[in-house]
Amino acid sequence: MKRTGGGEMRETSTIGIDIGGTAIKLGIVGASGTVLSEAELDSPIGLSQQEAVAEIARAATELREALARRTSGAGMPCAVGMGSAGLVSSEAGVVHTSPNLPRWRDVPLAARVGRALNLPAFLLNDANAFTLAEARLGAGAGASPVVGVTLGTGVGGAIVLDGRLLDGVHGFAGEVGHMSVAYEGPLCPCGNRGCLELYVGRRGLVASYLRRAKWRLGEAAYELAGGDRDALDPRLLAAAAQRGDRAAETAFAVAGEILGVGLANLANLVDPQRFVVGGGVSRAGDLLLAPAERALRARVMMGAERAPQIRRAALGMSAGLIGAALYAADRVGDEERIG
Amino acid sequence: MKRTGGGEMRETSTIGIDIGGTAIKLGIVGASGTVLSEAELDSPIGLSQQEAVAEIARAATELREALARRTSGAGMPCAVGMGSAGLVSSEAGVVHTSPNLPRWRDVPLAARVGRALNLPAFLLNDANAFTLAEARLGAGAGASPVVGVTLGTGVGGAIVLDGRLLDGVHGFAGEVGHMSVAYEGPLCPCGNRGCLELYVGRRGLVASYLRRAKWRLGEAAYELAGGDRDALDPRLLAAAAQRGDRAAETAFAVAGEILGVGLANLANLVDPQRFVVGGGVSRAGDLLLAPAERALRARVMMGAERAPQIRRAALGMSAGLIGAALYAADRVGDEERIG
C-alpha cells in the first residue's frame, strides 16, 4: 500500500467522525474522499465521556457491518479520524477543552474510541478537518498552500500544504480565530486580547449590530427577531441587511474589514494560493466577504494583484467528517512508512 | 544523488550569497552546511544591477577556482542560492523591491547570476535563509516547526517544517514583520496598519524611546549619543537601558510585549516547537525577550506550559549565506526528483 500527499487509489477506507455542537456525524470514507455511508447522532453536549464513546462505537460498528454486508468484507475501514471543536491535541489524541463537550477536560478520546472499535484512532480540530477536506476535494482543490477559515460561533482555521495538514508540534496549529489584531483590544476568553473571533464570531457580530441599532420597530432585524435580542444571530442579521437594515449592513461591513485584516496577516505569513471560507457566518456571503476581500487586497504586502483568491467552501456539511477520515488515512500511512 | 529533508551526505556543494545592506557575503557551503570558503564584498547599495551581478560573479568564480585547486575539482558547487531583504519572489527568482537595493525594481536576479555563473540559481528572502539555516544547523536544530524572527531595521521571519522552508506560492511566506497587531494602528509603508515592525523595528524602538525620554543630560542614552538623536539605535538604547535609563528600558519592555503578541499569534497559527530570534535588535537580549516571552505565555491559546521555547540564533553572521546555500541544494534536489 503506497501513498503520497494526494488522494490516490488505496484498497481501504477510513471512518470519519465530526463531533459538532448540534450533532455527531459519522461516515465511512473511501481513499478518494467518497462518502460510502453516513449516520448522524444527537448532540453530545449532555453526554458523559463513557456514553459518548459508547454511542460513537455503536454507530460506527453499524456502519461497518452494513458496509461489510454490501462488499462482502472488502474495503473495510483501517482507521478512524475524529474532528472536534476546541483545543484538541492531535499529537496526544486528547480533547483538552471543547465548547461542544463542556463536561469534558483532557479526555483521551482517540485512545477510547480506538479501543472500542479496535482501530487506530486519530483526533484533530474540526477546522483542521474542514480545511483538509476542502483543500483536497473542495474549493481548495488544485491549490497550495490553502488556508481555511471557518466562521461560526467561533472562528477557526487551518493551513494545508500540498494536500497535507500543517499540524504543528501538538496539533494546535491553525487557530486563526485567536490571532490578535488589536493588542490592546478587548479580553478574549482564551486569555489573549483583540482576537479575530471577538469581531467576526457570532457573539461579536451581534454585539456590533446592537451597538449600532436603535432596536425598535421599523428596523428589519428587530422585526425579524420579534423584538427578542436572544433571537439575533448572523443568519437573521444577514436577512435584515438584505432588507436594508443599515445597522446590520454596517456590522457585517466592519466585521468583514477586520476579517480582511486577519486574512492579510495570514497571506503575509503563509503566501497561500487560496483561502477557503466556510461555516455558518460565511453564508452572509458578500455582506461579509466583499469588505474582507477589499481589506485583504489593500493591506497585503505582496500587492493586490498577487493577493490570494477567496473561495467559499464547496463540500457542505460533510466536510468535517471527510476531513477527519482523510486525516486518519494520512496518519496511518505515515506510521506504515515509518514503522 | 539521493536526499530527503535533512542535510545528509551529498557529493556536491552550493554557493550561498547573502545580499545585505552593508555587505554582500558569499560562501561555498557543503551539503552538511559547513562553510568551505567565504568572501565579502562592499555594500551593493550604490551599484547598478549589471555592476552587482558582475561583482558577485567575479567573487563567486574566485571562490570556485580556489576550491577547485584545493580539491582537484571534487565537490564543486552545483547551484547558487541568494538571500536578499525585501519583497523577493522565490518562485520567479525576482527581487521586486529591496531596502538594500533601492535602485532595483522587479530584477530577475536569479536568472542573471545563474547565467553569469552557468549554474542553476535560486533566490529567497534573507529572513527565510536565516531561518532555514538556524532550523537545520543552529538554534532550531532538532525541532519542528521552527519559526524564525529577525529583528533589525525591519522585522522578518520564516517558517521551517521538518527542515524545509514554507515558501508559499510566490515565495513571500514568513512576513512576520507585517502582521498587523493593531488593525486601526499607524500606517506602515507596506500599506497595512499596525504592523509588528512599526513597534519592534529599529525606527519604532527609537521613536518609542524619544516619546518617553526628556532627552537631556543625565539620561544615559542622551549622553551615549552625545545629544545626537540620529546616533540613536537599538544597540545604543540597550547600552543605555543597562546603565539604568528608564525611558530606554521602557521602550524595550513595550516593544518586547508587542513582539510577544506577535509570537503568540504565530504560536496559535503554526504551533511551533521553537522560536529562533536573531538580528541586531535581538542582541538587546532579555531587555526585549523577557517581556516578549511573558506576553507569549500569557496570551497563547495552548497555555503557558505548552508555549514554544524562544531561543536566540546560534549561527552568527553566516546564517544568511548558509541558508541561501541550503535552499539552493533543496531546490536542485526537488528539480532532480521531479525531472
Side-chain angles (χ1 to χ4, degrees):
Chain A
M1 193 167 97
K2 270 177 66 181
R3 49 176 309 288
T4 54
E8 69 276 34
M9 291 295 289
R10 268 166 293 168
E11 293 76 24
T12 58
S13 60
T14 51
I15 299 173
I17 303 177
D18 180 9
I19 303 172
T22 54
I24 298 177
K25 297 193 193 73
L26 298 93
I28 298 182
V29 178
S32 62
T34 316
V35 179
L36 305 172
S37 60
E38 254 179 302
E40 195 167 317
L41 302 173
D42 288 344
S43 161
I45 285 188
L47 299 182
S48 71
Q49 298 161 31
Q50 286 82 346
E51 288 163 346
V53 170
E55 288 248 328
I56 288 170
R58 188 188 46 71
T61 301
E62 275 177 23
L63 285 178
R64 200 153 58 161
E65 288 172 357
L67 182 71
R69 285 192 295 274
R70 247 163 58 200
T71 66
S72 313
M76 293 305 289
C78 67
V80 54
M82 284 167 284
S84 171
L87 191 65
V88 162
S89 168
S90 296
E91 183 213 15
V94 168
V95 176
H96 294 292
T97 56
S98 171
N100 299 343
L101 307 162
R103 295 163 55 186
W104 295 22
R105 276 218 164 244
D106 299 324
V107 173
L109 189 64
R112 292 201 182 155
V113 171
R115 203 176 314 125
L117 291 173
N118 196 25
L119 285 176
F122 305 95
L123 189 65
L124 78 170
N125 177 279
D126 59 347
N128 290 20
F130 159 86
T131 304
L132 184 59
E134 288 287 345
R136 288 234 195 116
L137 307 164
S144 178
V146 171
V147 175
V149 179
T150 57
L151 304 170
T153 304
V155 173
I159 300 164
V160 173
L161 304 165
D162 296 326
R164 293 291 299 227
L165 195 61
L166 195 174
D167 258 338
V169 67
H170 307 93
F172 295 148
E175 288 292 354
V176 167
H178 298 282
M179 179 200 292
S180 174
V181 292
Y183 72 89
E184 298 177 306
L187 196 62
C188 180
C190 82
N192 202 347
R193 286 186 177 277
C195 292
L196 197 58
E197 180 170 302
L198 297 174
Y199 303 97
V200 183
R202 174 195 168 123
R203 196 170 310 174
L205 251 175
V206 169
S208 168
Y209 163 75
L210 284 170
R211 281 197 304 276
R212 292 178 165 86
K214 300 203 171 61
W215 195 242
R216 64 186 184 196
L217 278 171
E219 289 175 326
Y222 182 92
E223 294 184 1
L224 286 169
D228 176 9
R229 283 166 202 253
D230 292 341
L232 289 173
D233 68 9
R235 184 191 298 245
L236 186 150
L237 289 176
Q242 268 134 13
R243 294 187 194 187
D245 187 317
R246 292 293 296 274
E249 271 180 278
T250 307
F252 279 111
V254 169
E257 187 181 348
I258 299 174
L259 173 61
V261 174
L263 296 181
N265 283 354
L266 291 164
N268 286 343
L269 289 173
V270 176
D271 187 12
Q273 190 169 359
R274 208 172 287 166
F275 286 112
V276 177
V277 181
V281 176
S282 73
R283 285 189 223 112
D286 281 347
L287 281 170
L288 188 75
L289 298 181
E293 187 163 8
R294 274 197 299 277
L296 165 65
R297 293 167 65 90
R299 287 176 178 252
V300 76
M301 200 187 171
M302 61 193 71
E305 71 284 7
R306 298 189 201 92
Q309 308 158 331
I310 303 176
R311 296 247 181 111
R312 291 180 61 184
L315 298 180
M317 302 300 284
S318 299
L321 80 85
I322 294 172
L326 293 173
Y327 183 74
D330 285 354
R331 291 283 301 267
V332 163
D334 289 344
E335 289 177 6
E336 283 174 359
R337 263 198 305 284
I338 295 164
Chain B
M1 193 167 96
K2 271 178 66 180
R3 50 175 308 289
T4 54
E8 69 278 35
M9 292 296 289
R10 266 167 294 170
E11 294 76 25
T12 59
S13 59
T14 51
I15 299 173
I17 303 178
D18 180 10
I19 302 172
T22 54
I24 298 177
K25 297 193 193 72
L26 299 93
I28 298 182
V29 178
S32 63
T34 316
V35 180
L36 305 172
S37 59
E38 254 180 301
E40 196 166 318
L41 302 172
D42 288 344
S43 162
I45 284 188
L47 300 182
S48 72
Q49 297 161 33
Q50 285 83 348
E51 289 163 346
V53 170
E55 288 247 331
I56 287 170
R58 188 188 47 70
T61 301
E62 274 176 24
L63 285 179
R64 198 153 59 162
E65 288 171 356
L67 182 71
R69 284 192 297 274
R70 247 163 59 202
T71 66
S72 314
M76 292 306 288
C78 66
V80 53
M82 283 166 285
S84 171
L87 191 64
V88 162
S89 167
S90 295
E91 184 212 14
V94 168
V95 177
H96 294 291
T97 56
S98 172
N100 299 344
L101 306 162
R103 296 162 56 185
W104 295 22
R105 276 218 164 245
D106 298 324
V107 173
L109 189 64
R112 292 199 182 155
V113 171
R115 204 176 313 127
L117 291 173
N118 196 27
L119 285 177
F122 304 94
L123 189 65
L124 79 169
N125 178 278
D126 60 347
N128 290 20
F130 159 86
T131 304
L132 184 58
E134 288 287 346
R136 288 235 195 114
L137 307 164
S144 179
V146 171
V147 175
V149 179
T150 58
L151 304 170
T153 305
V155 173
I159 300 164
V160 172
L161 304 166
D162 296 325
R164 294 289 301 227
L165 195 61
L166 195 173
D167 259 339
V169 67
H170 308 92
F172 295 147
E175 288 292 354
V176 168
H178 297 283
M179 179 200 292
S180 174
V181 291
Y183 71 90
E184 298 178 306
L187 197 62
C188 181
C190 81
N192 202 347
R193 286 187 177 276
C195 291
L196 197 58
E197 180 170 304
L198 297 175
Y199 303 96
V200 184
R202 173 194 167 125
R203 196 171 310 174
L205 250 177
V206 169
S208 168
Y209 163 75
L210 284 170
R211 282 197 303 275
R212 292 178 165 85
K214 301 204 168 64
W215 195 241
R216 64 184 184 197
L217 278 172
E219 290 176 326
Y222 181 92
E223 294 184 1
L224 287 169
D228 176 9
R229 281 168 203 255
D230 292 341
L232 289 174
D233 68 9
R235 184 191 301 243
L236 185 150
L237 290 177
Q242 268 133 13
R243 294 188 194 187
D245 187 317
R246 292 292 297 274
E249 271 181 277
T250 306
F252 279 110
V254 170
E257 186 180 348
I258 299 174
L259 173 61
V261 174
L263 296 181
N265 283 354
L266 290 164
N268 286 343
L269 289 174
V270 176
D271 187 13
Q273 191 168 0
R274 208 172 286 167
F275 286 112
V276 177
V277 181
V281 176
S282 73
R283 285 190 222 108
D286 281 348
L287 281 169
L288 187 76
L289 298 181
E293 187 163 9
R294 272 196 300 276
L296 165 65
R297 293 167 65 89
R299 287 175 178 254
V300 76
M301 199 185 172
M302 62 193 70
E305 71 284 7
R306 298 187 200 94
Q309 308 158 330
I310 303 176
R311 296 247 181 112
R312 290 180 64 184
L315 298 180
M317 303 298 284
S318 299
L321 79 86
I322 295 172
L326 294 174
Y327 182 74
D330 285 353
R331 290 283 302 265
V332 163
D334 288 344
E335 289 177 6
E336 282 174 1
R337 265 199 304 282
I338 296 164

